[in-house]
Amino acid sequence: MMSSSSSEQCDVISLPEDQVFEMLTRVSLDDLAACRQVSTRWRRLTYEPAFAPLHCRRADAVSGYLVQTVARNRYHATFVSSMHPSPPPADLVSLDFLPSPHVRVEAVSPHRGLVCCVDADADAATPRKPASSYYVCKPATRQWRALPNPRLRYRTAATAMLARPGGGGGGAADFKIVRFSVPTLRDCLRCEVFDSRGMAWRRSADVAVWPESLVEAAPAVRAHGAMHWLRWPDRLSGGAEDIFAFDVKTETWRLIGLPPEATTEKRWARKKVAAVEGKLCLVVVVDEEVEVWVLAGYRQERWEKKMTASLTRLAMEEGNSFILRDLYASDVAFFNSVYRVLWYDFLRGKIAEAPLRHKCIQQVFKFESDLVPFEEIDESPIQILNGFASP
């Protein structure tokens, strides 16, 4: 006999698509992730082009990119979105509320809109000033908290951040930050993990990956429950390109080989990893053509070519100055050109653009956030600095 809860769940799942769509556009970002696990149909509806703009309006959320640029040796983070006026309000997503006037974004959580950044003036440190200051903040609610520093003796190779919903409801949650650094005279990555539950960094096991192989200035891509970075060929891998995957929850790692077609004839093509509809994708750009591969079987490392599209039309409109930064959706890519970024549908052409104040783009972080205060970092008016309370 079917239980009452199971019967109610079946009734909800069997609702007409238009009713399910309306219902899903009103759930919070926290609940949206769970809704995508209910059924294939629900998952498909949440990735339709019309869903995201409507969901942002109804669920009080923002979605777009944090574009980090460099001008005159200073970092600038600009929020851009295809769903907001161009340019969006200056205070919609900004880092101008942080205590340091010059910060560099290190990582962005794919959940809850949390940002990990550091004081970019660390090189000018004095005996009275810490060598560096790490912060976690939620730009959409203008909250921040200072964190203790990791082992700054070693150069950072990559950083990732993951926020998880808490069990207390409201804005309660916890987060982890993973930092890989390059130890001296060792052919591995040094791994440190910061856990908000203990508010401290701890040493995790070293990763037997050539430390110089990670593609610089490439943010982590979250898919299949792990963080991913594209790697350059190195002597430990025998000259083969692959993807470094790190599971933040279990603190385990693996290397994922690229499809052979993308590493033989297109060995020197421009490549990017991205996440579309929760799946890991590889984007290969050769001249004015782009290929999109999807990792259909994650455990089996089974790649399938999803599409091949021409960029000739984009080249005619933008010249040769455009650079593909991310896959925004299954058929839409996010590009930057000179002093602007644009969203380009491979079938319909350009669908949106936004201006930038600076042209030297260093990193592009996918950003999604609700407007709910984050209790884990709500320490106002007292901030926690390196383990000590400070007014």
Side-chain angles (χ1 to χ4, degrees), residues 40-328:
T40 303
R41 184 175 67 137
W42 283 30
R43 184 183 185 86
R44 173 178 55 81
L45 288 173
T46 62
Y47 286 114
E48 288 188 355
F51 180 84
L54 191 57
H55 178 258
C56 283
R57 290 197 300 269
R58 291 177 171 177
D60 288 331
V62 292
S63 179
Y65 290 94
L66 270 182
V67 181
Q68 182 158 260
T69 57
V70 180
R72 297 182 179 179
N73 294 322
R74 294 191 69 83
Y75 292 90
H76 307 269
T78 304
F79 175 70
V80 295
S81 174
S82 62
M83 305 176 195
H84 299 280
S86 180
D91 60 348
L92 182 62
V93 176
S94 172
L95 301 180
D96 60 1
F97 60 92
L98 291 175
S100 173
H102 184 206
V103 295
R104 180 181 67 251
V105 176
E106 292 287 286
V108 173
S109 169
H111 184 71
R112 300 300 293 269
L114 297 187
V115 176
C116 172
C117 48
V118 300
D119 185 348
D121 292 327
D123 293 339
T126 66
R128 295 184 179 182
K129 181 180 178 181
S132 181
S133 295
Y134 268 67
Y135 302 99
V136 60
C137 65
K138 184 168 183 176
T141 55
R142 301 179 71 81
Q143 297 171 278
W144 67 273
R145 185 171 187 170
L147 303 179
N149 293 330
R151 189 67 178 270
L152 297 174
R153 173 184 175 186
Y154 305 112
R155 176 174 60 85
T156 301
T159 306
M161 186 178 188
L162 179 65
R164 300 159 299 196
D174 60 86
F175 61 90
K176 278 187 175 183
I177 301 171
V178 178
R179 175 180 178 261
F180 298 101
S181 57
V182 183
T184 306
L185 302 177
R186 297 182 64 187
D187 295 345
C188 65
L189 286 170
R190 190 178 192 272
C191 181
E192 295 170 279
V193 178
F194 179 89
D195 196 324
S196 65
R197 295 173 181 176
M199 289 303 295
W201 292 90
R202 59 177 173 78
R203 178 82 177 272
S204 187
D206 289 346
V207 177
V209 168
W210 184 250
E212 304 293 342
S213 65
L214 292 185
V215 177
E216 293 185 2
V221 174
R222 184 171 186 259
H224 308 281
M227 299 295 184
H228 303 83
W229 292 266
L230 185 66
R231 297 200 317 138
W232 291 112
D234 63 79
R235 61 186 179 88
L236 294 183
S237 64
E241 293 176 280
D242 54 33
I243 296 171
F244 170 52
F246 186 85
D247 189 315
V248 179
K249 183 178 180 179
T250 62
E251 297 180 21
T252 57
W253 63 277
R254 60 184 288 207
L255 297 178
I256 302 173
L258 301 187
E261 296 88 341
T263 58
T264 52
E265 311 134 0
K266 300 178 177 64
R267 182 177 181 84
W268 306 111
R270 288 174 290 168
K271 301 180 181 71
K272 297 284 292 184
V273 288
V276 175
E277 300 183 6
K279 293 186 177 181
L280 189 66
C281 295
L282 175 70
V283 185
V284 182
V285 180
V286 181
D287 298 326
E288 295 179 4
E289 185 177 83
V290 58
E291 292 180 356
V292 178
W293 295 78
V294 60
L295 194 56
Y298 187 75
R299 294 185 180 277
Q300 301 80 16
E301 299 185 18
R302 178 170 54 85
W303 292 93
E304 293 180 359
K305 183 186 288 189
K306 183 173 183 179
M307 66 178 299
T308 300
S310 173
L311 299 179
T312 302
R313 178 179 173 183
L314 179 61
M316 293 176 61
E317 296 173 353
E318 303 294 331
N320 295 320
S321 60
F322 61 89
I323 299 175
L324 193 151
R325 293 287 180 173
D326 187 38
L327 277 185
Y328 177 72

